[in-house]
Amino acid sequence: VSTILVIEDDTDIRALVEAKLTQSGHDVHTENDGEAGLAAVRSLAPDLVILDWMLPRLTGLEVCVAMRADDDLTHIPVILLTARAQEADLERGFAAGADDYLTKPFSPRELATRVAVLLDRTSR
Amino acid sequence: MYGEYSMFRRPSFRFLSGRSAVIAPLLAFALVLIATGVAATMNFRANERLRDVADDRRVDEAVRLIERRMDTYVDVLVSGRSFVNEVGADDPVVFGEFVRGLDLAVRHPGIQMLAFAELVEPADADQFVTERRAGRAELGGPQFEIRPPPSDEQIVAMTMVEPLMGNELALGFDLASETVRRTTLEKARDTGLAIASPPLRLVQETGSQTGVLVMMPIYSSDGVPTAVEDRRSRFAGVMVAAVRIGDLLNGVLGDGAQLPGFAVRDATGDEIPQTMYSVDDAPIDVAADESNLRGSVDVADRTWVVHVGNAGDVLPTSQALRPFGVLVVGVIIAVLVAAVMRATRAARLSAERLAEARTSELDALTAAAGDGIITVDVDGHITGWNAAAERIFGYREADICGQPLTVLLAVEDVERYGDRFLRMAKGGSVPELAALAQQRSIELVAAHRSGRRFPVELSLARWTAEGTEHFTGFVRDVSERRAGEDRLRETTDLLTTVFGAVEIALIATDPDGTIVAFNPGAEQLLGYSADDVIGHATPERFHVASEVIERAIELGVPPGFEVFVAAARRGETESRRWTYVRADGGHVPVELTVTALRHVDGNVTGFLGVAVDLTDRLAFERATDTALERERQVVASLRELDAVKSEFVSTVSHELRTPLSSIAGFTELLIDDLADDEESRRSMLEAVERNAQRLLALVDDLLTVSRIEADRLDLERVPVDVASVVRSAADTVEPLVRGKNLEFVVVDDGPAVAVGDGRHLERVVLNLLSNAIKATPDGGEITLAVAGTDGTVTVTVADTGIGIPSDELGGLFTRFRRTSNSQREAIQGTGLGLTIVRSIVEAHGGTVDVASEEGAGTTFTVRLPIAELQPAGGPAPVTITTEVEL
């Protein structure tokens, strides 16, 4: 059972992701802004973080950069969720340290698959 | 050309010509010398006469003195003879006392010795010697003897000699033993008179003096026997005086006997003359023998000639030198006269050479002169004509000479001036031409030989040669100068016109700043008249003192006129903005360009200031600046709009994708039958519905905005109960409110009717509510109120949310504008809502206002005109409060 932290300010999407991943057998925790999210990453030390880009207080990119700068957190894989779909946005996301990327609207099945692949890869 | 007509003729009269001129000084010299010689000679002669008189006097004096002295000597001899006759001749001691009593040395200095010589017969000689030796025994001294020793002849030996000292050799000397003495002795014996000897050398003489012996005969009877035979037979001896001539002469003549040329000689009878005395033993000048410088002295039967010699000048010096003075002065005068004549001659020759040089120089100048040079005689006829005159008038010299000057004048000038020349020509109106000559120059219209008329300038010089007056005219063709003057006048006129006509201000000053010119442009600009300032003011009067001081400090010069011209003085042309102060005190901005006015030699003669009124230009510049600034603002706002639009696209994309994510995601979960139970499935379906609503609202917003932009809002104009619209909107947002922990209060005072479009008005309320919900965190409160009072339908949406910074309130209703707080909180939104709100409200004739406090909440108030639909006294409004717990 992997611990997954979902940081997403939109209630419905947070619920959606939580429902899907819980159903997939993960231990899912949620936060709805960047600051609380980063604190939760530190306290929870999850196996994977699902991070929305557009977040109050700290954006998803800022949280991502902060994680990569922290030796204790830098190994945690991050999947970035965003409505931004431009290539430039993709580059910015990976530059910030994201491991994977999903553009809204996304399929919950695809999300679950990517989470499984990423967890499998990092666990090996 | 000037040739035979030359006005510079050589002088025809000369004081002396050629050779004679050389001789003249010599001649004058000779004449003056001759005259001098005559005068000098006359003076010499006069002096000569004066000297002769003096010489005669001297000779007479000497002769007289010598004769008198010799007379006293004879007297001494007489008294000696008396002594012998009375006392006898045999007592030398008594004789000595007698002679000493005579005091010969003092009273008769010429007598060296007085002695008695006694006749002795040769037979008695021995006895005689013995007796005399005995007689002298007690006297001492040399022993008496007869010398030379006695022969057979008679002996006349000196037996008493006084003084003996110095005359020892005379004692015993036999006077008869020597011819000259014996002759003298015999003559004295025979004549009975005192007889002097010829000059002889005295036996006792040890010096060089010549002497004479004067002998007085003594007879054995008293007195002198009458007959010669008796004198011979009774002769006893002689009293002898030895006279030294030098002592005699010195005694009687003193220094006179020492004068050059003084001499005495014996010249008795036919005897050969013998010199007895001469100064420095000089030979006697025989030629002078005949002169008046001598006189004869008869002394005891002898004749002595006394020469007084040329005793030097007896005349006063001035008198003696007069002839020489005359001679010297005469020679000097002669030399001077000759020199003056030579100098005069040389000067005249030099003057002639100079005149010659000048003449040829003048001929050359005259020929080369640019001005026509015309010489006129007193009758006004042309006598001289140079090349330039030929060029100017077209006449050749040969043709014009002799013609009256008037032929050169144009007709009208002949009328004006010609009569003067004509009258002059008729005889003697010289003053007319002379008057013309007084003028510096006169301008005439001249006539060329061809008839062409042209302006000339004539100056006349008056000169006199050989007593005749001439006039020389200098004629200059001034056609070109006139033309130049005309052009200059035209240029000046043009400049004056421009100076007066231009609207810019022109102010000229002298080097010190005093205004010397002030054009109408300056008068108009400054409000001063030219008369007010010219000569009275400097341009400093027109300036603001503070500007002058400021500029003075920049330049490092004293505040004053120098401030404006410092650059111009350095040769720069400076343009600066200044503020002019008009006479009425008004200020005018100007651009002042200052240039130095310079003389050709570079000296500054003044300054020219050109002032241009900048009022219009500055206004234009301000307008341009304003327009540019506006343009910049527009560009900036467009850029901002561009950025906002691109942000809008991104936002819209996000706003579309987010609800779509929920719709698609939950739908997938439902299809996959992942809902655990019915409640879960229902919650998912509600999420789908909620997000569909949200998507619909967004689409509505976009459509509304596009209509607003296209100005095709297509409002209905019907009565609308705003209260019911508000209630509908509250219902619509309920699902949204439900997702958050908010208190939502609706205050409804019953129907409030406005005219308009209900659907759009609902959108207004929806947008305001949507914003309030998004801006308000959990635990906050949202109040929605609607009321129709005082002709206004008021809808209020108040929240306790994050608030809006006060500086962002103004742009709040601009489309795509989102507040900084909402962006920081990542609150969803397109930035279109409030734009739509205001557009719709204003389309209904209403207003929308906002009040907010950051962190405390925001209140939007919409006011719409109320519609008077319901009759008065209708049902009272019912207040319904719906509280929804979420």
Side-chain angles (χ1 to χ4, degrees):
Chain A
V1 177
S2 298
T3 305
I4 295 173
L5 178 59
V6 178
I7 309 174
E8 165 64 65
D9 65 327
D10 187 276
T11 312
D12 290 338
I13 294 174
R14 194 166 64 227
L16 174 68
V17 171
E18 184 179 12
K20 179 62 183 180
L21 294 182
T22 300
Q23 191 269 331
S24 300
H26 298 292
D27 180 12
V28 179
H29 296 259
T30 63
E31 288 296 340
N32 62 2
D33 72 63
E35 263 179 25
L38 186 57
V41 172
R42 288 204 169 96
S43 61
L44 205 58
D47 296 312
L48 187 144
V49 176
I50 292 173
L51 191 55
D52 184 26
W53 187 319
M54 300 290 281
L55 284 172
R57 302 213 162 76
L58 284 177
T59 67
L61 288 185
E62 286 166 344
V63 172
C64 197
V65 167
M67 283 174 65
R68 294 297 174 238
D70 189 331
D71 288 346
D72 295 335
L73 310 177
T74 190
H75 65 280
I76 301 174
V78 172
I79 295 175
L80 203 57
L81 296 178
T82 180
R84 293 173 178 272
Q86 310 291 319
E87 274 193 17
D89 295 329
L90 270 173
E91 285 174 14
R92 286 173 71 197
F94 286 117
D99 295 284
D100 207 347
Y101 192 96
L102 272 177
T103 304
K104 296 175 182 175
F106 58 91
S107 158
R109 282 192 294 266
E110 189 184 350
L111 174 64
T113 303
R114 286 179 184 260
V115 166
V117 169
L118 203 51
L119 283 174
D120 184 41
R121 195 165 63 206
T122 46
S123 67
R124 269 185 291 167
Chain B
M1 302 292 285
Y2 280 77
E4 53 188 308
Y5 294 101
S6 173
M7 57 184 170
F8 308 106
R9 281 187 210 115
R10 308 260 158 77
S12 60
F13 171 78
R14 290 178 181 173
F15 175 64
L16 283 172
S17 61
R19 283 173 69 87
S20 60
V22 180
I23 292 167
L26 293 177
L27 204 60
F29 181 66
L31 286 172
V32 175
L33 268 192
I34 290 165
T36 301
V38 170
T41 305
M42 285 168 68
N43 270 281
F44 269 122
R45 296 229 172 111
N47 277 3
E48 204 94 309
R49 278 194 297 279
L50 289 173
R51 276 197 197 93
D52 288 346
V53 171
D55 288 344
D56 290 345
R57 199 174 294 139
R58 272 197 305 145
V59 171
D60 290 347
E61 180 75 3
V63 167
R64 189 174 56 82
L65 287 172
I66 291 169
E67 279 178 344
R68 186 187 297 170
R69 179 57 56 97
M70 289 308 291
D71 286 346
T72 65
Y73 290 177
V74 172
D75 288 345
V76 168
L77 288 176
V78 169
S79 44
R81 183 175 63 186
S82 300
F83 172 82
V84 171
N85 286 336
E86 297 296 330
V87 178
D90 52 357
D91 191 346
V93 175
V94 178
F95 181 74
E97 287 171 359
F98 162 71
V99 173
R100 278 192 290 280
L102 294 175
D103 197 10
L104 294 177
V106 176
R107 293 168 61 191
H108 310 283
I111 299 175
Q112 190 185 12
M113 176 198 74
L114 191 62
F116 176 70
E118 188 174 347
L119 177 66
V120 184
E121 292 300 327
D124 300 334
D126 292 342
Q127 185 188 349
F128 176 76
V129 168
T130 303
E131 285 174 9
R132 290 293 177 258
R133 282 183 178 173
R136 299 188 60 91
E138 57 193 82
L139 286 172
Q143 189 163 19
F144 179 81
E145 59 186 337
I146 295 167
R147 289 175 291 119
S151 61
D152 295 338
E153 299 294 319
Q154 277 190 318
I155 297 165
V156 183
M158 286 186 276
T159 58
M160 293 188 294
V161 174
E162 282 298 335
L164 182 61
M165 188 177 288
N167 296 306
E168 290 87 349
L169 292 176
L171 184 64
F173 186 75
D174 177 12
L175 292 174
S177 64
E178 193 270 330
T179 312
V180 174
R181 289 173 176 79
R182 191 176 65 233
T183 307
T184 305
L185 183 71
E186 287 169 351
K187 191 166 189 178
R189 179 196 66 192
D190 292 347
T191 59
L193 297 172
I195 299 297
S197 71
L200 46 73
R201 184 177 178 83
L202 298 176
V203 291
Q204 68 272 38
E205 176 63 44
T206 53
S208 60
Q209 287 197 42
T210 299
V212 292
L213 296 175
V214 184
M215 301 181 191
M216 175 68 76
I218 298 173
Y219 302 96
S220 54
S221 57
D222 286 345
V224 179
T226 309
V228 175
E229 290 78 16
D230 293 341
R231 292 175 186 162
R232 286 179 178 171
S233 59
R234 295 188 180 204
F235 180 68
V238 290
M239 187 56 74
V240 179
V243 176
R244 297 176 84 197
I245 298 300
D247 291 347
L248 163 72
L249 294 174
N250 283 330
V252 297
L253 297 173
D255 290 343
Q258 302 301 327
L259 292 173
F262 183 84
V264 179
R265 61 190 171 111
D266 183 288
T268 306
D270 300 332
E271 295 175 27
I272 298 167
Q274 290 185 66
T275 298
M276 297 167 69
Y277 177 91
S278 72
V279 174
D280 299 330
D281 294 326
I284 293 168
D285 184 1
V286 179
D289 216 20
E290 302 301 325
S291 78
N292 64 329
L293 289 175
R294 63 189 176 91
S296 293
V297 187
D298 292 324
V299 182
D301 192 44
R302 303 296 299 184
T303 300
W304 292 352
V305 175
V306 177
H307 298 260
V308 294
N310 195 339
D313 220 320
V314 295
L315 299 176
T317 308
S318 61
Q319 178 66 35
L321 292 181
R322 183 175 293 167
F324 297 104
V326 168
L327 203 59
V328 169
V329 170
V331 169
I332 289 171
I333 289 172
V335 169
L336 283 179
V337 165
V340 167
M341 287 184 68
R342 262 203 81 76
T344 307
R345 166 70 183 163
R348 197 177 52 249
L349 284 176
S350 155
E352 281 174 11
R353 276 195 296 276
L354 190 64
E356 218 167 287
R358 277 291 144 83
T359 303
S360 90
E361 181 186 345
L362 273 178
D363 282 345
L365 287 177
T366 305
D371 286 358
I373 300 180
I374 303 169
T375 305
V376 184
D377 62 17
V378 282
D379 298 328
H381 289 101
I382 295 165
T383 59
W385 188 255
N386 75 340
E390 185 172 324
R391 195 166 60 242
I392 292 169
F393 290 100
Y395 294 99
R396 286 206 307 269
E397 186 181 18
D399 299 333
I400 197 69
C401 278
Q403 299 284 324
L405 190 57
T406 48
V407 302
L408 302 176
L409 294 176
V411 178
E412 60 266 34
D413 277 340
V414 171
E415 286 167 3
R416 257 168 72 201
Y417 294 102
D419 58 336
R420 299 194 195 179
F421 296 121
L422 288 174
R423 263 187 286 153
M424 193 173 61
K426 281 170 189 163
S429 292
V430 175
E432 292 289 340
L433 261 192
L436 281 180
Q438 293 294 314
Q439 299 180 23
R440 193 145 172 266
S441 66
I442 54 174
E443 293 196 355
L444 299 168
V445 179
H448 191 264
R449 186 179 199 174
S450 67
R452 175 174 61 83
R453 289 152 21 121
F454 58 98
V456 295
E457 195 175 77
L458 168 70
S459 353
L460 273 178
R462 180 186 194 184
W463 50 282
T464 307
E466 300 170 29
T468 312
E469 282 195 283
H470 299 265
F471 295 88
T472 296
F474 298 84
V475 181
R476 179 170 299 179
D477 182 346
V478 294
S479 308
E480 285 182 18
R481 198 179 74 193
R482 280 286 172 75
E485 285 171 356
D486 287 347
R487 282 194 297 276
L488 182 62
R489 196 176 301 114
E490 283 165 16
T491 305
T492 308
D493 289 349
L494 177 65
L495 285 177
T496 306
T497 307
V498 170
F499 188 74
V502 292
E503 289 184 357
I504 54 176
L506 301 174
I507 303 171
T509 72
D510 65 14
D512 300 324
T514 304
I515 293 170
V516 296
F518 197 77
N519 80 332
E523 291 181 324
Q524 197 177 346
L525 178 65
L526 287 162
Y528 289 96
S529 79
D531 292 340
D532 290 340
V533 293
I534 288 177
H536 302 306
T538 81
E540 202 183 346
R541 176 184 287 190
F542 314 130
H543 285 263
V544 175
S546 60
E547 288 186 356
V548 175
I549 290 166
E550 194 182 332
R551 181 63 177 154
I553 291 166
E554 281 175 28
L555 291 171
V557 301
F561 178 66
E562 196 58 29
V563 168
F564 311 121
V565 300
R569 245 187 236 291
R570 292 194 299 270
E572 298 165 19
T573 296
E574 184 194 53
S575 289
R576 278 186 70 80
R577 286 196 180 178
W578 294 94
T579 303
Y580 266 180
V581 182
R582 291 174 48 85
D584 61 14
H587 284 199
V588 187
V590 295
E591 180 167 87
L592 176 64
T593 303
V594 179
T595 315
L597 305 173
R598 289 176 195 277
H599 192 255
V600 285
D601 60 12
N603 286 335
V604 173
T605 58
F607 297 95
L608 177 66
V610 180
V612 178
D613 186 348
L614 293 182
T615 308
D616 292 345
R617 194 200 294 179
L618 289 181
F620 174 75
E621 282 175 3
R622 271 196 298 275
T624 307
D625 287 349
T626 308
L628 276 174
E629 180 57 30
R630 199 175 297 143
E631 194 67 23
R632 269 195 296 275
Q633 284 172 0
V634 169
V635 169
S637 63
L638 283 175
R639 282 217 186 95
E640 191 184 359
L641 189 62
D642 200 41
V644 168
K645 263 185 174 169
S646 101
E647 180 64 25
F648 169 73
V649 169
S650 170
T651 304
V652 166
S653 169
H654 183 264
E655 289 300 295
L656 287 169
R657 285 166 187 271
T658 300
L660 270 177
S661 293
S662 291
I663 292 166
F666 280 115
T667 303
E668 186 188 304
L669 288 186
L670 287 168
I671 290 169
D672 287 352
D673 201 13
L674 287 182
D676 294 335
D677 47 29
E678 190 59 29
E679 189 188 345
S680 172
R681 184 161 39 242
R682 180 178 174 79
S683 173
M684 287 183 188
L685 287 171
E686 281 176 359
V688 170
E689 189 206 6
R690 190 163 54 238
N691 280 285
Q693 283 293 330
R694 187 172 150 193
L695 204 53
L696 184 61
L698 178 63
V699 170
D700 270 349
D701 272 356
L702 290 172
L703 285 173
T704 306
V705 165
S706 74
R707 284 203 192 99
I708 290 167
E709 291 213 326
D711 208 13
R712 295 195 299 122
L713 208 47
D714 295 335
L715 288 180
E716 283 185 50
R717 296 286 176 179
V718 295
V720 175
D721 178 8
V722 178
S724 64
V725 167
V726 164
R727 278 193 299 274
S728 170
D731 290 345
T732 305
V733 299
E734 196 189 338
L736 292 174
V737 173
R738 212 181 295 147
K740 286 181 118 178
N741 184 19
L742 296 173
E743 191 172 353
F744 183 35
V745 179
V746 178
V747 180
D748 181 356
D749 285 345
V753 179
V755 174
D757 190 318
R759 198 167 49 92
H760 280 107
L761 288 176
E762 185 177 349
R763 173 131 306 281
V764 166
V765 180
L766 280 174
N767 282 356
L768 291 175
L769 282 174
S770 170
N771 283 347
I773 292 164
K774 286 187 285 185
T776 306
D778 286 354
E781 183 182 311
I782 296 167
T783 304
L784 172 63
V786 59
T789 53
D790 300 330
T792 303
V793 175
T794 305
V795 178
T796 307
V797 179
D799 64 55
T800 57
I802 55 177
I804 301 165
S806 59
D807 59 339
E808 295 180 20
L809 289 174
L812 199 59
F813 295 95
T814 309
R815 55 187 178 164
F816 311 127
R817 183 67 59 96
R818 304 185 67 228
T819 67
S820 55
N821 286 351
S822 67
Q823 287 176 315
R824 193 183 71 232
E825 295 296 323
I827 293 170
Q828 295 166 342
T830 57
L832 294 174
L834 288 176
T835 306
I836 291 166
V837 166
R838 188 170 68 174
S839 299
I840 292 171
V841 170
E842 287 179 353
H844 283 82
T847 61
V848 57
D849 295 302
V850 60
S852 180
E853 189 178 342
E854 220 179 337
T858 305
T859 301
F860 284 92
T861 305
V862 174
R863 292 184 182 83
L864 299 168
I866 201 162
E868 299 294 336
L869 285 178
Q870 293 178 349
V878 180
T879 299
I880 302 164
T881 301
T882 308
E883 295 205 4
V884 183
E885 287 293 327
L886 297 169

